[in-house]
Amino acid sequence: MIELRPFESLGAANHGWLDAHHHFSFAGYHDPARVHWGALRVWNDDTIAPGTGFPTHPHSDMEIITYVRKGAITHRDSMGNEGRTEAGDVQVMSAGTGVRHSEYNLEDTETTLFQIWIIPDSRGGAPGWGARKFPKGERSGAFVPLASGMDGDGDKAQGALPIRADARVLGASVKAGEAVTYRPRSADRHLYLVPASGRVRVDQVEAKARDGIAITAMDEVTVTALEDAELVLVDAA
């Protein structure tokens, strides 16, 4: 099953400093057909104006993954962490029993990012935060785990950032005319693919940048790039 969710069909809210588009129900946008996709609960496509951002606010019991597409985001939290995550790189916050944090674009230009929320396998646990660089050249022509709760993905030196869910977030860069294949552990997994840039085809379904593609009941998925493409994929229970 492959379902295209065009960017134009997403929920949207423009707050001036924040232009947000929601692949799933979020804040003032509610669509009973798009509440979640398996354990994937939120995929927000955010554009944040220079010198603005999200003031300190709380979270609990959620795995929050931020994939920066352009610019950078600066994070501060109640655990004492502070970090700046640049385009192509990833940060993860496990909210656990509760954490307060802020996210600001302190750059001179706008920042664009995907913020992805995945429901954890269990509630509670101490909160945590981490960030890591993922050079795009190292994921050319293959899906590379960026954040994961699956065995084997979390090598401390260069592996995926840990999350507390039976899920993974992957990235790939694919040149026009080339293809990349992903094989989930089982066909009942919930896959959600978004091209951060470029146009792609999955089976007979074509998608442009920032469209969503919901996939399930498939043993493998082959993505063909119709233009040079940067891909982000979630594989969730």
Side-chain angles (χ1 to χ4, degrees):
M1 192 284 290
I2 302 174
E3 178 193 348
L4 177 66
R5 298 181 176 182
F7 179 75
E8 294 79 13
S9 74
L10 305 182
N14 193 327
H15 303 281
W17 65 273
L18 170 67
D19 185 10
H21 295 261
H22 311 304
H23 285 261
F24 301 95
S25 297
F26 187 85
Y29 164 64
H30 180 71
D31 181 341
R34 296 184 182 180
V35 175
H36 64 97
W37 186 240
L40 175 59
R41 174 62 189 85
V42 169
W43 191 312
N44 287 345
D45 180 327
D46 291 342
T47 301
I48 306 168
T52 70
F54 301 91
T56 301
H57 59 283
H59 290 284
S60 62
D61 293 317
M62 193 65 67
E63 302 300 295
I64 299 173
I65 301 99
T66 303
Y67 180 98
V68 181
R69 294 161 44 220
K70 183 176 73 173
I73 197 75
T74 296
H75 166 98
R76 295 186 181 94
D77 65 42
S78 54
M79 298 174 287
N81 297 305
E82 180 173 341
R84 178 177 176 273
T85 304
E86 300 179 347
D89 299 334
V90 177
Q91 68 172 11
V92 167
M93 189 173 71
S94 293
T97 54
V99 63
R100 296 178 61 82
H101 78 133
S102 64
E103 305 285 342
Y104 278 96
N105 173 15
L106 301 181
E107 314 305 309
D108 295 330
T109 58
E110 69 181 19
T111 287
T112 62
L113 54 82
F114 294 145
Q115 189 174 96
I116 296 164
W117 295 14
I118 298 174
I119 300 167
D121 290 343
S122 60
R123 297 172 62 88
W129 176 85
R132 188 166 294 166
K133 293 184 176 297
F134 290 94
K136 293 182 183 179
E138 295 182 5
R139 45 188 144 120
S140 178
F143 280 110
V144 172
L146 308 175
S148 177
M150 295 187 184
D151 291 343
D153 285 347
D155 176 79
K156 293 296 183 183
Q158 56 189 356
L161 289 159
I163 58 174
R164 302 168 186 173
D166 179 18
R168 51 163 52 133
V169 180
L170 308 105
S173 299
V174 191
K175 296 185 180 299
E178 297 183 357
V180 60
T181 296
Y182 180 73
R183 296 175 180 85
R185 188 174 65 223
S186 59
D188 60 352
R189 303 287 293 181
H190 294 80
L191 309 184
Y192 200 82
L193 175 72
V194 180
S197 62
R199 291 190 306 116
V200 302
R201 183 176 65 245
V202 181
D203 200 0
Q204 301 304 310
V205 176
E206 292 190 11
K208 64 184 184 304
R210 304 165 76 185
D211 288 350
I213 308 175
I215 304 164
T216 194
M218 295 183 68
D219 292 321
E220 68 175 32
V221 176
T222 297
V223 184
T224 302
L226 305 177
E227 303 170 350
D228 289 355
E230 179 182 348
L231 309 177
V232 182
L233 172 69
V234 167
D235 173 348

